[in-house]
Structures are given as C-alpha cells and as structure tokens.
PDB file of all heavy atoms in Angstrom:
ATOM      1  N   PHE T   1      -3.281  50.085  30.107  1.00 89.00           N
ATOM      2  CA  PHE T   1      -4.561  50.815  30.119  1.00 89.00           C
ATOM      3  C   PHE T   1      -5.313  50.560  28.826  1.00 89.00           C
ATOM      4  O   PHE T   1      -6.528  50.362  28.813  1.00 89.00           O
ATOM      5  CB  PHE T   1      -4.283  52.311  30.312  1.00 89.00           C
ATOM      6  CG  PHE T   1      -5.483  53.183  30.114  1.00 89.00           C
ATOM      7  CD1 PHE T   1      -6.474  53.258  31.086  1.00 89.00           C
ATOM      8  CD2 PHE T   1      -5.629  53.929  28.942  1.00 89.00           C
ATOM      9  CE1 PHE T   1      -7.589  54.059  30.896  1.00 89.00           C
ATOM     10  CE2 PHE T   1      -6.738  54.728  28.755  1.00 89.00           C
ATOM     11  CZ  PHE T   1      -7.732  54.796  29.729  1.00 89.00           C
ATOM     12  N   GLN T   2      -4.588  50.552  27.727  1.00 87.00           N
ATOM     13  CA  GLN T   2      -5.180  50.388  26.410  1.00 87.00           C
ATOM     14  C   GLN T   2      -5.848  49.020  26.256  1.00 87.00           C
ATOM     15  O   GLN T   2      -6.914  48.918  25.659  1.00 87.00           O
ATOM     16  CB  GLN T   2      -4.103  50.571  25.332  1.00 87.00           C
ATOM     17  CG  GLN T   2      -4.646  50.777  23.935  1.00 87.00           C
ATOM     18  CD  GLN T   2      -3.529  51.023  22.929  1.00 87.00           C
ATOM     19  OE1 GLN T   2      -2.425  50.501  23.061  1.00 87.00           O
ATOM     20  NE2 GLN T   2      -3.829  51.812  21.913  1.00 87.00           N
ATOM     21  N   ASN T   3      -5.234  47.974  26.835  1.00 88.00           N
ATOM     22  CA  ASN T   3      -5.816  46.630  26.704  1.00 88.00           C
ATOM     23  C   ASN T   3      -6.782  46.287  27.841  1.00 88.00           C
ATOM     24  O   ASN T   3      -7.298  45.177  27.922  1.00 88.00           O
ATOM     25  CB  ASN T   3      -4.737  45.562  26.576  1.00 88.00           C
ATOM     26  CG  ASN T   3      -3.890  45.411  27.833  1.00 88.00           C
ATOM     27  OD1 ASN T   3      -4.332  45.679  28.931  1.00 88.00           O
ATOM     28  ND2 ASN T   3      -2.646  44.972  27.658  1.00 88.00           N
ATOM     29  N   GLY T   4      -7.042  47.269  28.719  1.00 88.00           N
ATOM     30  CA  GLY T   4      -8.034  47.072  29.764  1.00 88.00           C
ATOM     31  C   GLY T   4      -7.534  46.415  31.024  1.00 88.00           C
ATOM     32  O   GLY T   4      -8.333  46.102  31.928  1.00 88.00           O
ATOM     33  N   SER T   5      -6.210  46.180  31.148  1.00 88.00           N
ATOM     34  CA  SER T   5      -5.666  45.529  32.344  1.00 88.00           C
ATOM     35  C   SER T   5      -5.755  46.439  33.545  1.00 88.00           C
ATOM     36  O   SER T   5      -5.874  45.976  34.673  1.00 88.00           O
ATOM     37  CB  SER T   5      -4.187  45.151  32.107  1.00 88.00           C
ATOM     38  OG  SER T   5      -4.061  44.269  31.028  1.00 88.00           O
ATOM     39  N   ILE T   6      -5.661  47.747  33.320  1.00 90.00           N
ATOM     40  CA  ILE T   6      -5.775  48.712  34.403  1.00 90.00           C
ATOM     41  C   ILE T   6      -6.722  49.824  33.972  1.00 90.00           C
ATOM     42  O   ILE T   6      -6.897  50.070  32.786  1.00 90.00           O
ATOM     43  CB  ILE T   6      -4.406  49.323  34.816  1.00 90.00           C
ATOM     44  CG1 ILE T   6      -3.751  50.038  33.625  1.00 90.00           C
ATOM     45  CG2 ILE T   6      -3.481  48.266  35.395  1.00 90.00           C
ATOM     46  CD1 ILE T   6      -2.466  50.777  33.971  1.00 90.00           C
ATOM     47  N   ASN T   7      -7.349  50.487  34.980  1.00 91.00           N
ATOM     48  CA  ASN T   7      -8.229  51.605  34.654  1.00 91.00           C
ATOM     49  C   ASN T   7      -7.484  52.930  34.772  1.00 91.00           C
ATOM     50  O   ASN T   7      -6.288  52.942  35.076  1.00 91.00           O
ATOM     51  CB  ASN T   7      -9.478  51.581  35.546  1.00 91.00           C
ATOM     52  CG  ASN T   7      -9.154  51.685  37.020  1.00 91.00           C
ATOM     53  OD1 ASN T   7      -8.139  52.285  37.402  1.00 91.00           O
ATOM     54  ND2 ASN T   7      -9.982  51.096  37.853  1.00 91.00           N
ATOM     55  N   LEU T   8      -8.197  54.016  34.564  1.00 89.00           N
ATOM     56  CA  LEU T   8      -7.574  55.336  34.565  1.00 89.00           C
ATOM     57  C   LEU T   8      -6.958  55.682  35.925  1.00 89.00           C
ATOM     58  O   LEU T   8      -5.854  56.244  35.988  1.00 89.00           O
ATOM     59  CB  LEU T   8      -8.585  56.413  34.169  1.00 89.00           C
ATOM     60  CG  LEU T   8      -8.017  57.781  33.831  1.00 89.00           C
ATOM     61  CD1 LEU T   8      -7.147  57.715  32.587  1.00 89.00           C
ATOM     62  CD2 LEU T   8      -9.120  58.788  33.629  1.00 89.00           C
ATOM     63  N   SER T   9      -7.649  55.311  37.001  1.00 89.00           N
ATOM     64  CA  SER T   9      -7.126  55.603  38.352  1.00 89.00           C
ATOM     65  C   SER T   9      -5.823  54.845  38.600  1.00 89.00           C
ATOM     66  O   SER T   9      -4.868  55.385  39.169  1.00 89.00           O
ATOM     67  CB  SER T   9      -8.153  55.204  39.422  1.00 89.00           C
ATOM     68  OG  SER T   9      -9.298  56.008  39.327  1.00 89.00           O
ATOM     69  N   GLU T  10      -5.772  53.578  38.137  1.00 90.00           N
ATOM     70  CA  GLU T  10      -4.559  52.777  38.327  1.00 90.00           C
ATOM     71  C   GLU T  10      -3.424  53.313  37.459  1.00 90.00           C
ATOM     72  O   GLU T  10      -2.269  53.336  37.884  1.00 90.00           O
ATOM     73  CB  GLU T  10      -4.855  51.308  38.001  1.00 90.00           C
ATOM     74  CG  GLU T  10      -5.762  50.652  39.018  1.00 90.00           C
ATOM     75  CD  GLU T  10      -6.296  49.311  38.564  1.00 90.00           C
ATOM     76  OE1 GLU T  10      -6.611  49.179  37.354  1.00 90.00           O
ATOM     77  OE2 GLU T  10      -6.404  48.399  39.391  1.00 90.00           O
ATOM     78  N   LEU T  11      -3.751  53.765  36.253  1.00 90.00           N
ATOM     79  CA  LEU T  11      -2.748  54.363  35.381  1.00 90.00           C
ATOM     80  C   LEU T  11      -2.164  55.618  36.029  1.00 90.00           C
ATOM     81  O   LEU T  11      -0.948  55.819  36.020  1.00 90.00           O
ATOM     82  CB  LEU T  11      -3.357  54.719  34.027  1.00 90.00           C
ATOM     83  CG  LEU T  11      -2.438  55.411  33.017  1.00 90.00           C
ATOM     84  CD1 LEU T  11      -1.246  54.563  32.663  1.00 90.00           C
ATOM     85  CD2 LEU T  11      -3.210  55.774  31.747  1.00 90.00           C
ATOM     86  N   SER T  12      -3.027  56.424  36.629  1.00 89.00           N
ATOM     87  CA  SER T  12      -2.572  57.633  37.318  1.00 89.00           C
ATOM     88  C   SER T  12      -1.658  57.300  38.480  1.00 89.00           C
ATOM     89  O   SER T  12      -0.588  57.899  38.648  1.00 89.00           O
ATOM     90  CB  SER T  12      -3.808  58.413  37.831  1.00 89.00           C
ATOM     91  OG  SER T  12      -3.392  59.538  38.592  1.00 89.00           O
ATOM     92  N   ARG T  13      -2.049  56.296  39.284  1.00 89.00           N
ATOM     93  CA  ARG T  13      -1.241  55.919  40.461  1.00 89.00           C
ATOM     94  C   ARG T  13       0.094  55.313  40.060  1.00 89.00           C
ATOM     95  O   ARG T  13       1.145  55.683  40.584  1.00 89.00           O
ATOM     96  CB  ARG T  13      -2.017  54.940  41.329  1.00 89.00           C
ATOM     97  CG  ARG T  13      -1.289  54.518  42.613  1.00 89.00           C
ATOM     98  CD  ARG T  13      -2.134  53.556  43.427  1.00 89.00           C
ATOM     99  NE  ARG T  13      -2.416  52.331  42.712  1.00 89.00           N
ATOM    100  CZ  ARG T  13      -1.580  51.302  42.626  1.00 89.00           C
ATOM    101  NH1 ARG T  13      -0.402  51.354  43.191  1.00 89.00           N
ATOM    102  NH2 ARG T  13      -1.921  50.200  41.962  1.00 89.00           N
ATOM    103  N   LEU T  14       0.068  54.367  39.122  1.00 88.00           N
ATOM    104  CA  LEU T  14       1.295  53.677  38.713  1.00 88.00           C
ATOM    105  C   LEU T  14       2.278  54.616  38.047  1.00 88.00           C
ATOM    106  O   LEU T  14       3.488  54.516  38.270  1.00 88.00           O
ATOM    107  CB  LEU T  14       0.942  52.523  37.757  1.00 88.00           C
ATOM    108  CG  LEU T  14       0.246  51.304  38.385  1.00 88.00           C
ATOM    109  CD1 LEU T  14      -0.276  50.382  37.305  1.00 88.00           C
ATOM    110  CD2 LEU T  14       1.199  50.550  39.318  1.00 88.00           C
ATOM    111  N   SER T  15       1.781  55.519  37.229  1.00 86.00           N
ATOM    112  CA  SER T  15       2.679  56.427  36.516  1.00 86.00           C
ATOM    113  C   SER T  15       3.031  57.671  37.310  1.00 86.00           C
ATOM    114  O   SER T  15       3.953  58.394  36.955  1.00 86.00           O
ATOM    115  CB  SER T  15       2.072  56.828  35.170  1.00 86.00           C
ATOM    116  OG  SER T  15       0.827  57.484  35.376  1.00 86.00           O
ATOM    117  N   GLY T  16       2.309  57.903  38.415  1.00 88.00           N
ATOM    118  CA  GLY T  16       2.594  59.072  39.238  1.00 88.00           C
ATOM    119  C   GLY T  16       2.216  60.373  38.549  1.00 88.00           C
ATOM    120  O   GLY T  16       2.873  61.394  38.736  1.00 88.00           O
ATOM    121  N   ILE T  17       1.153  60.312  37.743  1.00 88.00           N
ATOM    122  CA  ILE T  17       0.739  61.482  36.955  1.00 88.00           C
ATOM    123  C   ILE T  17      -0.692  61.837  37.323  1.00 88.00           C
ATOM    124  O   ILE T  17      -1.540  60.959  37.461  1.00 88.00           O
ATOM    125  CB  ILE T  17       0.841  61.194  35.445  1.00 88.00           C
ATOM    126  CG1 ILE T  17       2.303  60.885  35.076  1.00 88.00           C
ATOM    127  CG2 ILE T  17       0.326  62.341  34.613  1.00 88.00           C
ATOM    128  CD1 ILE T  17       2.482  60.356  33.674  1.00 88.00           C
ATOM    129  N   SER T  18      -0.980  63.106  37.473  1.00 89.00           N
ATOM    130  CA  SER T  18      -2.323  63.563  37.857  1.00 89.00           C
ATOM    131  C   SER T  18      -3.325  63.297  36.744  1.00 89.00           C
ATOM    132  O   SER T  18      -2.964  63.162  35.569  1.00 89.00           O
ATOM    133  CB  SER T  18      -2.306  65.054  38.177  1.00 89.00           C
ATOM    134  OG  SER T  18      -2.056  65.807  37.020  1.00 89.00           O
ATOM    135  N   ARG T  19      -4.622  63.230  37.116  1.00 86.00           N
ATOM    136  CA  ARG T  19      -5.692  62.980  36.138  1.00 86.00           C
ATOM    137  C   ARG T  19      -5.702  64.007  34.999  1.00 86.00           C
ATOM    138  O   ARG T  19      -5.751  63.625  33.832  1.00 86.00           O
ATOM    139  CB  ARG T  19      -7.038  62.981  36.834  1.00 86.00           C
ATOM    140  CG  ARG T  19      -7.358  61.708  37.605  1.00 86.00           C
ATOM    141  CD  ARG T  19      -7.698  60.567  36.676  1.00 86.00           C
ATOM    142  NE  ARG T  19      -8.228  59.446  37.436  1.00 86.00           N
ATOM    143  CZ  ARG T  19      -9.526  59.169  37.550  1.00 86.00           C
ATOM    144  NH1 ARG T  19     -10.416  59.937  36.964  1.00 86.00           N
ATOM    145  NH2 ARG T  19      -9.925  58.131  38.230  1.00 86.00           N
ATOM    146  N   PRO T  20      -5.656  65.327  35.302  1.00 87.00           N
ATOM    147  CA  PRO T  20      -5.683  66.303  34.190  1.00 87.00           C
ATOM    148  C   PRO T  20      -4.536  66.115  33.204  1.00 87.00           C
ATOM    149  O   PRO T  20      -4.726  66.229  31.993  1.00 87.00           O
ATOM    150  CB  PRO T  20      -5.560  67.657  34.925  1.00 87.00           C
ATOM    151  CG  PRO T  20      -6.106  67.407  36.276  1.00 87.00           C
ATOM    152  CD  PRO T  20      -5.684  66.002  36.607  1.00 87.00           C
ATOM    153  N   THR T  21      -3.337  65.800  33.737  1.00 88.00           N
ATOM    154  CA  THR T  21      -2.193  65.578  32.852  1.00 88.00           C
ATOM    155  C   THR T  21      -2.375  64.309  32.031  1.00 88.00           C
ATOM    156  O   THR T  21      -2.027  64.262  30.850  1.00 88.00           O
ATOM    157  CB  THR T  21      -0.892  65.517  33.668  1.00 88.00           C
ATOM    158  OG1 THR T  21      -0.765  66.709  34.445  1.00 88.00           O
ATOM    159  CG2 THR T  21       0.331  65.366  32.769  1.00 88.00           C
ATOM    160  N   LEU T  22      -2.948  63.274  32.656  1.00 87.00           N
ATOM    161  CA  LEU T  22      -3.215  62.028  31.933  1.00 87.00           C
ATOM    162  C   LEU T  22      -4.161  62.261  30.765  1.00 87.00           C
ATOM    163  O   LEU T  22      -3.941  61.734  29.664  1.00 87.00           O
ATOM    164  CB  LEU T  22      -3.811  60.977  32.889  1.00 87.00           C
ATOM    165  CG  LEU T  22      -2.849  60.092  33.656  1.00 87.00           C
ATOM    166  CD1 LEU T  22      -3.632  59.066  34.449  1.00 87.00           C
ATOM    167  CD2 LEU T  22      -1.866  59.391  32.743  1.00 87.00           C
ATOM    168  N   TYR T  23      -5.228  63.012  31.003  1.00 89.00           N
ATOM    169  CA  TYR T  23      -6.178  63.313  29.916  1.00 89.00           C
ATOM    170  C   TYR T  23      -5.451  63.996  28.764  1.00 89.00           C
ATOM    171  O   TYR T  23      -5.691  63.703  27.580  1.00 89.00           O
ATOM    172  CB  TYR T  23      -7.302  64.206  30.424  1.00 89.00           C
ATOM    173  CG  TYR T  23      -8.249  63.525  31.384  1.00 89.00           C
ATOM    174  CD1 TYR T  23      -8.615  64.152  32.575  1.00 89.00           C
ATOM    175  CD2 TYR T  23      -8.767  62.278  31.100  1.00 89.00           C
ATOM    176  CE1 TYR T  23      -9.486  63.535  33.470  1.00 89.00           C
ATOM    177  CE2 TYR T  23      -9.637  61.647  31.993  1.00 89.00           C
ATOM    178  CZ  TYR T  23      -9.991  62.270  33.169  1.00 89.00           C
ATOM    179  OH  TYR T  23     -10.836  61.662  34.048  1.00 89.00           O
ATOM    180  N   LYS T  24      -4.537  64.902  29.097  1.00 89.00           N
ATOM    181  CA  LYS T  24      -3.772  65.607  28.073  1.00 89.00           C
ATOM    182  C   LYS T  24      -2.898  64.629  27.289  1.00 89.00           C
ATOM    183  O   LYS T  24      -2.855  64.651  26.049  1.00 89.00           O
ATOM    184  CB  LYS T  24      -2.889  66.666  28.754  1.00 89.00           C
ATOM    185  CG  LYS T  24      -1.940  67.396  27.839  1.00 89.00           C
ATOM    186  CD  LYS T  24      -1.063  68.339  28.652  1.00 89.00           C
ATOM    187  CE  LYS T  24       0.057  68.915  27.819  1.00 89.00           C
ATOM    188  NZ  LYS T  24       0.965  69.778  28.620  1.00 89.00           N
ATOM    189  N   TYR T  25      -2.217  63.714  28.023  1.00 89.00           N
ATOM    190  CA  TYR T  25      -1.320  62.742  27.356  1.00 89.00           C
ATOM    191  C   TYR T  25      -2.126  61.772  26.508  1.00 89.00           C
ATOM    192  O   TYR T  25      -1.675  61.378  25.407  1.00 89.00           O
ATOM    193  CB  TYR T  25      -0.518  61.973  28.401  1.00 89.00           C
ATOM    194  CG  TYR T  25       0.536  62.782  29.113  1.00 89.00           C
ATOM    195  CD1 TYR T  25       1.195  62.265  30.227  1.00 89.00           C
ATOM    196  CD2 TYR T  25       0.877  64.075  28.699  1.00 89.00           C
ATOM    197  CE1 TYR T  25       2.181  63.006  30.895  1.00 89.00           C
ATOM    198  CE2 TYR T  25       1.848  64.815  29.352  1.00 89.00           C
ATOM    199  CZ  TYR T  25       2.490  64.269  30.454  1.00 89.00           C
ATOM    200  OH  TYR T  25       3.449  65.000  31.111  1.00 89.00           O
TER     201      TYR T  25
END
C-alpha cells in the first residue's frame, strides 16, 4: 500500500480488516 502497488480497498480485502480499523492502524 505504501509503495502504491495496492489501494486502500485492496489493502482492506487482502488483510481482511475493515476500513475504520485500517484508518486506525
């Protein structure tokens, strides 16, 4: 995600983590 290979939605799906929790992390 940091290097732009995936976006926030893909990070959420791949990691199995909800958007609100991702924002927190």
Side-chain angles (χ1 to χ4, degrees):
F1 170 75
Q2 195 177 32
N3 65 29
S5 301
I6 59 175
N7 60 30
L8 192 66
S9 295
E10 290 168 322
L11 177 60
S12 176
R13 182 179 62 82
L14 289 169
S15 60
I17 298 170
S18 68
R19 283 286 191 100
T21 304
L22 272 184
Y23 291 132
K24 174 184 170 183
Y25 291 170

